[in-house]
């Protein structure tokens, strides 16, 4: 029996009943070829059973049967693509807590690359960000234990723990000759996903750091506050999605809907055409048609790309910055029953309203702006993107990888933010804001990787 699936992370759930309906009849009409494939599958399963029994009986120490099965499941899913994985019961609970916007740990978004933990982005105002952890940092040890050989979930589990307990991280940072050792104190991470302020007396600046269950309500609240503060002087909105690694699909849809009156926001397409789902906007632009500038960069991934793509395709916003990460796949969380955890399974790709897939390509901004990067950080200003992830879903046409992800800590040095302000004040952008040909070439060159 198919178990209930839930929508989580970067995508939409494919209906379990529909999946069952479209797959069962197909097998009936495949005839001998289907029977041959089934026979071969059972032979492979028998092989797995033989290996499982041999390990149980002959391994030097008595193994834990449940651990053997979980490891086998993890290996199967890890072989599919970088974003499919198995979550044990505790990891599943932790994920549910995280999507609610509150969890215990360090406040760091990570992924696995070549057996090591790679930082996608530190979350604002958390122990990780305060300690200077940066995107693209490679974590090699946790409390003197090597990360190599651990799964992503195992490494994340080690980084989480009781509040006020310490953990030592050893980090390799591009451009640094020696590893960096950092001691962090775990904290109760409450992710405030929306922050806002008034820029130059007449511009509403809103930064969205992640897409959790509180994001849309937080956005609506901040829009109302800013409209009240600025009043009739309001020139427009800057929505900053830079280094936002993504989150819940439903929140990406409702955030997009906040700025739109009508039209498609996103479509998801699975293996079968019958599984296509489309999400559309409802009447009611909370910004009352004011101009919108969206800031993106190489760290803007997944749910961020859904929002940016929807507003760009509907010409509701001008996109400023650098090409986004390029994660255009859909993960469905499939609970496996009480105490058995869940599968995080890639079930579809998503497409912008114009029908474009951004998988392994990213979204290209309307106006490219490269930041001036301090010399000591120049070695780490590019995020390599989805196209460099080993085993990523292939894209039709040319794939793109590598885009600047640096955001200056001081707003006065932020060239993309200044460009957005100039646009809202009516100062025309005459060309891309790339500082030099050699720097732009460095952004466009192929690279090797970094998720959801």
């Amino acid at each position: 029996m198919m178990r209930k699936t839930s929508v989580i992370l970067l995508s939409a759930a494919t209906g379990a009943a529909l999946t069952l309906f479209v797959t069962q009849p197909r097998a009936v009409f495949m005839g001998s070829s289907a029977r041959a494939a089934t026979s071969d599958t059972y032979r492979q399963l028998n092989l797995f059973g033989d290996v499982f029994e041999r390990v149980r009986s002959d391994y030097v120490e008595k193994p834990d049967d449940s651990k053997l099965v979980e490891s086998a499941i993890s290996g199967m899913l890890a072989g599919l693509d970088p974003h499919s994985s198995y979550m044990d019961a505790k990891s599943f609970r932790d994920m549910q807590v995280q999507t609610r916007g509150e969890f215990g740990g360090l406040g760091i978004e990570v992924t696995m690359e070549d057996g090591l933990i790679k930082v996608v982005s530190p979350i604002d105002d958390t122990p990780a960000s305060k300690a200077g952890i940066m995107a693209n940092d490679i974590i090699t040890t946790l409390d003197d234990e090597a990360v190599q050989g651990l799964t992503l979930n195992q490494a994340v589990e080690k980084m989480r723990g009781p509040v006020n307990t310490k953990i030592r991280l050893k980090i390799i940072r591009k451009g640094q000759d020696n590893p960096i050792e950092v001691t962090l104190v775990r904290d109760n991470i409450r992710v405030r996903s929306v922050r806002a302020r008034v820029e130059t007396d007449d511009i509403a600046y809103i930064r969205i750091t992640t897409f959790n269950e509180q994001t849309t309500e937080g956005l609506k609240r901040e829009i109302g506050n800013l409209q009240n503060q600025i009043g009739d002087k309001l020139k427009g909105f800057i929505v900053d999605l830079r280094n936002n690694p993504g989150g819940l699909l439903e929140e990406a849809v409702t955030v997009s809907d906040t700025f739109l009156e009508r039209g498609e926001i996103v479509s998801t397409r699975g293996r079968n055409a019958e599984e296509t789902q489309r999400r559309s906007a409802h009447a009611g632009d909370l910004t009352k048609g004011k101009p919108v500038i969206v800031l993106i960069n190489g760290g803007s991934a997944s749910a961020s790309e859904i929002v940016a793509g929807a507003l760009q395709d509907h010409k509701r916003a001008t996109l400023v910055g650098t090409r986004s990460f390029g994660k255009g796949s859909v993960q469905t969380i499939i609970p496996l029953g009480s105490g058995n955890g869940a599968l995080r399974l890639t079930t579809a790709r998503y497409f912008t309203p114009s029908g474009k897939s951004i998988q392994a390509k990213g979204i290209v901004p309307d106006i490219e702006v490269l930041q001036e990067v301090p010399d000591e950080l120049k070695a780490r200003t590019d995020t390599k993107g989805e196209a460099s992830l080993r085993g990523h879903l292939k894209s039709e046409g040319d794939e793109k990888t590598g885009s600047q992800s640096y955001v200056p800590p001081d707003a006065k040095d932020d060239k993309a933010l200044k460009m957005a302000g100039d646009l809202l004040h009516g100062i025309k952008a005459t060309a891309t804001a790339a500082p030099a040909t050699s720097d732009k070439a460095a952004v466009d060159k192929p690279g090797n990787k970094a998720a959801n």
Side-chain angles (χ1 to χ4, degrees):
M1 184 179 82
M2 295 290 290
R3 292 184 172 88
K4 181 181 177 183
T5 60
S6 58
V7 184
I8 201 71
L9 230 41
L10 316 168
S11 55
T14 304
L18 178 61
T19 303
L20 188 61
F21 176 78
V22 298
T23 56
Q24 286 183 336
R26 179 178 298 169
V28 173
F29 299 105
M30 281 185 177
S32 60
S33 62
R35 288 193 295 272
T38 300
S39 177
D40 185 60
T41 299
Y42 280 122
R43 281 196 296 270
Q44 296 296 320
L45 288 173
N46 286 335
L47 173 62
F48 171 77
D50 291 343
V51 172
F52 180 73
E53 288 301 329
R54 181 56 63 92
V55 171
R56 291 182 70 209
S57 62
D58 294 352
Y59 185 64
V60 63
E61 296 177 355
K62 181 175 174 56
D64 184 323
D65 289 356
S66 63
K67 295 289 186 186
L68 290 178
V69 173
E70 287 185 5
S71 296
I73 295 171
S74 295
M76 175 173 59
L77 292 167
L80 296 175
D81 71 274
H83 307 299
S84 294
S85 64
Y86 169 70
M87 293 179 286
D88 61 22
K90 187 176 188 311
S91 297
F92 184 32
R93 290 194 300 271
D94 289 344
M95 181 275 297
Q96 292 173 308
V97 170
Q98 184 169 347
T99 58
R100 287 197 295 269
E102 182 175 348
F103 60 95
L106 304 178
I108 186 171
E109 300 280 352
V110 294
T111 188
M112 181 72 79
E113 182 176 294
D114 296 329
L116 298 175
I117 299 301
K118 185 169 187 176
V119 176
V120 175
S121 178
I123 298 171
D124 290 351
D125 296 328
T126 64
S129 65
K130 292 174 182 177
I133 304 295
M134 296 180 175
N136 295 326
D137 281 349
I138 300 292
I139 300 174
T140 59
T141 66
L142 300 168
D143 277 339
D144 300 324
E145 180 179 350
V147 169
Q148 194 91 37
L150 298 178
T151 66
L152 180 60
N153 287 338
Q154 288 170 336
V156 169
E157 175 68 18
K158 288 183 177 295
M159 285 188 278
R160 292 181 178 177
V163 172
N164 294 326
T165 59
K166 294 181 179 180
I167 183 172
R168 293 189 309 279
L169 277 59
K170 185 174 288 186
I171 293 169
I172 295 175
R173 180 173 296 164
K174 192 173 181 180
Q176 299 280 349
D177 294 332
N178 299 314
I180 302 169
E181 292 196 9
V182 181
T183 298
L184 302 179
V185 179
R186 296 181 180 93
D187 197 359
N188 188 30
I189 307 301
R190 294 183 178 89
V191 180
R192 182 184 170 195
S193 60
V194 181
R195 293 174 173 79
R197 65 175 185 262
V198 177
E199 286 282 321
T200 62
D201 297 326
D202 57 3
I203 292 174
Y205 171 88
I206 300 172
R207 171 159 167 73
I208 302 176
T209 59
T210 189
F211 289 83
N212 61 35
E213 292 179 6
Q214 283 79 46
T215 298
T216 301
E217 288 306 312
L219 173 65
K220 291 178 179 179
R221 182 171 57 251
E222 294 297 353
I223 287 175
N225 290 340
L226 290 164
Q227 288 170 332
N228 290 334
Q229 289 180 57
I230 300 173
D232 295 338
K233 297 187 298 179
L234 180 61
K235 296 290 186 182
F237 292 81
I238 297 173
V239 180
D240 193 344
L241 298 178
R242 292 176 297 181
N243 293 331
N244 181 324
L248 297 166
L249 169 74
E250 185 61 31
E251 294 297 316
V253 170
T254 50
V255 164
S256 301
D257 197 357
T258 301
F259 299 96
L260 295 171
E261 284 286 351
R262 65 183 65 85
E264 183 175 301
I265 292 172
V266 66
S267 64
T268 60
R269 308 177 196 176
R271 183 190 303 182
N272 305 307
E274 297 91 339
E275 297 170 357
T276 298
Q277 298 184 14
R278 300 181 185 278
R279 304 297 302 274
S280 298
H282 303 84
D285 174 2
L286 292 189
T287 64
K288 301 176 182 178
K290 289 289 186 180
V292 178
I293 308 294
V294 175
L295 304 182
I296 61 171
N297 66 5
S300 304
S302 198
S304 299
E305 294 171 295
I306 289 176
V307 175
L311 299 186
Q312 184 183 52
D313 279 4
H314 284 293
K315 302 189 185 307
R316 181 63 188 91
T318 298
L319 271 55
V320 173
T322 57
R323 186 177 57 248
S324 64
F325 188 84
K327 185 187 179 301
S329 63
V330 170
Q331 280 68 49
T332 299
I333 301 301
I334 307 172
L336 298 175
S338 178
N340 291 325
L343 302 183
R344 186 201 324 259
L345 188 66
T346 299
T347 55
R349 300 170 188 256
Y350 71 76
F351 295 79
T352 68
S354 63
K356 294 184 298 185
S357 169
I358 58 89
Q359 173 63 19
K361 293 181 179 179
I363 291 177
V364 178
D366 301 298
I367 300 174
E368 183 185 56
V369 175
L370 295 182
Q371 303 285 357
E372 296 290 345
V373 184
D375 290 340
E376 65 273 16
L377 298 178
K378 284 185 176 178
R380 58 154 298 275
T381 59
D382 287 1
T383 295
K384 293 180 178 179
E386 176 79 10
S388 292
L389 280 172
R390 182 178 300 168
H392 71 274
L393 294 179
K394 298 302 180 183
S395 173
E396 294 182 3
D398 294 336
E399 296 184 347
K400 301 292 185 182
T401 133
S403 178
Q404 190 183 77
S405 60
Y406 176 74
V407 178
D410 193 329
K412 68 180 177 59
D413 300 322
D414 191 338
K415 296 177 68 175
L417 181 61
K418 182 180 185 305
M419 173 66 74
D422 287 347
L423 291 170
L424 291 176
H425 285 132
I427 301 173
K428 185 176 180 181
T430 57
T432 62
T437 302
S438 60
D439 288 339
K440 183 168 189 307
V443 170
D444 289 338
K445 69 184 179 182
N448 295 317
K449 152 55 231 157
N452 160 5

